[in-house]
Amino acid sequence: MYRATSQGRRRPGVLTRIATVGATALLASSAMAMGAPSALAGPTGETGAAAPKAGCGTPVLKAWYDSDQFGTYLKVWFETPKGCAKGTSVSSLSGNVNCTSGPSKGKRVYQEKKSGKAPLSTLTRSLPAKSKCGSFHATAGIGYTLGGGKIWEDAWTWKWGNAPA
Amino acid sequence: MFRSAFKGAVVAGSAGLLCAGILSSPAQADSIYKGTKTGSIDVLGGGHKWTYTDAQYRSTSMKNAQSHVIHVKYKGCLKWRARAAVQYPTGGHSTSDQQTVNGCNKTAYITVLGKSTAKVTLSVFLIVSGDTRSVAVSPIK
């Protein structure tokens, strides 16, 4: 498929695709190609690979810093993990974010839930500006219809302006 | 073409193998060692410290890209996960890597490639309790 780029000629080894929401997985996987071997583990100690048919493991948090002429906005949403088989039934995907510093400290600034089939994502919402909230703590849980009631959870903390980890 | 002098920058022990593997991949074939940041993460606030080293390499083949080779170590006995996330070189989205370890005196090895001006968020997550804490590691210019 030919795609016209405004970037001119491509230099080998350099990604010239403009990052778009749909390209997240491609960029992430390219960047992680050299990463250390990693094992995702749920709260009870099972790895993501231990639940192939029933589910796909822990949920993913996506944070996107969007800029326009008026400023920069932090938008977040939660989604089913990369590689989750299309059509996997999700009984509940829920995520929430709390502010942990600044004037809005202690406030819940995001809370969304969704059910359906993978790929699934919760509503994208903007988090408060840096002046209102300097850092965040997010948690998410996902339950799969065939998962026997097990909830896969994960948590992230980060400062406004940085990536969640 | 400048060849990186990363021989002297290999961190330690088995990490050397990791670093060699990382730096031989196409995007890291040419890189300049920038230095190593060190610090600690006090997850529970009670003096249980996780220590980290972040060896940083500026890519000479990819624009505005800096890789972080991170080791996180904890002397105690626990099941925990280290995760690093950073804005990708072209901006907007972030990339992350993580590793879960279980046992005593364990080290987690994680690597991310980020924008050369972006801070890395490095977190430790305790699997059983769900407690988590992170720090921001600045890129070395």
Side-chain angles (χ1 to χ4, degrees):
Chain A
M1 173 160 64
Y2 173 77
R3 180 193 289 258
T5 68
S6 55
Q7 300 290 314
R9 61 183 168 81
R10 290 184 68 175
R11 283 183 287 129
V14 175
L15 284 176
T16 54
R17 277 181 67 164
I18 308 298
T20 61
V21 175
T24 308
L26 173 69
L27 290 173
S29 61
S30 305
M32 285 171 63
M34 62 192 81
S38 61
L40 280 173
T44 61
E46 295 172 34
T47 63
K53 291 182 180 120
C56 308
T58 54
V60 171
L61 164 65
K62 285 279 196 261
W64 165 261
Y65 289 95
D66 203 0
S67 292
D68 64 16
Q69 68 222 67
F70 302 111
T72 302
Y73 311 92
L74 169 55
K75 294 179 179 173
V76 295
W77 70 93
F78 295 85
E79 56 184 40
T80 44
K82 186 171 74 120
C84 191
K86 192 171 175 178
T88 302
S89 185
V90 175
S91 54
S92 168
L93 164 63
S94 68
N96 51 70
V97 184
N98 293 313
C99 178
T100 54
S101 72
S104 294
K105 182 176 177 177
K107 280 196 187 152
R108 174 149 292 181
V109 294
Y110 178 102
Q111 184 169 17
E112 290 294 331
K113 200 170 181 176
K114 197 92 181 271
S115 309
K117 293 194 193 301
L120 192 67
S121 54
T122 58
L123 231 54
T124 298
R125 291 205 184 281
S126 292
L127 295 187
K130 191 173 183 177
S131 56
K132 295 243 164 50
C133 188
S135 59
F136 303 95
H137 179 269
T139 55
I142 190 167
Y144 300 95
T145 307
L146 300 174
K150 179 182 159 79
I151 305 292
W152 296 85
E153 294 174 318
D154 204 348
W156 301 259
T157 54
W158 73 103
K159 292 189 177 124
W160 210 105
N162 297 339
Chain B
M1 174 99 58
F2 180 84
R3 275 277 164 214
S4 77
F6 65 81
K7 301 187 278 276
V10 168
V11 184
S14 54
L17 207 68
L18 175 74
C19 296
I22 302 301
L23 294 169
S24 63
S25 60
Q28 290 297 298
D30 295 290
S31 59
I32 304 167
Y33 173 62
K34 292 303 243 179
T36 299
K37 288 259 179 180
T38 61
S40 63
I41 305 173
D42 194 351
V43 180
L44 298 169
H48 293 263
K49 289 208 170 116
W50 275 255
T51 56
Y52 68 84
T53 59
D54 173 13
Q56 301 185 15
Y57 302 83
R58 177 73 52 85
S59 172
T60 53
S61 59
M62 188 177 182
K63 208 173 165 185
N64 296 325
Q66 188 129 320
S67 72
H68 300 257
V69 179
I70 299 168
H71 300 172
V72 184
K73 191 169 181 174
Y74 178 60
K75 287 182 179 167
C77 304
L78 263 184
K79 186 167 188 178
W80 52 276
R81 180 201 66 214
R83 176 156 64 196
V86 64
Q87 193 173 49
Y88 194 68
T90 48
H93 281 284
S94 60
T95 176
S96 69
D97 187 25
Q98 62 188 64
Q99 186 178 38
T100 300
V101 293
N102 190 12
C104 308
N105 202 28
K106 293 286 183 181
T107 303
Y109 302 94
I110 49 185
T111 302
V112 284
L113 177 69
K115 202 169 177 178
S116 54
T117 53
K119 291 182 187 171
V120 170
T121 302
L122 176 63
S123 71
V124 170
F125 175 77
L126 307 186
I127 302 298
V128 174
S129 68
D131 289 295
T132 182
R133 196 180 196 96
S134 66
V135 294
V137 186
S138 296
I140 300 168
K141 290 191 170 59

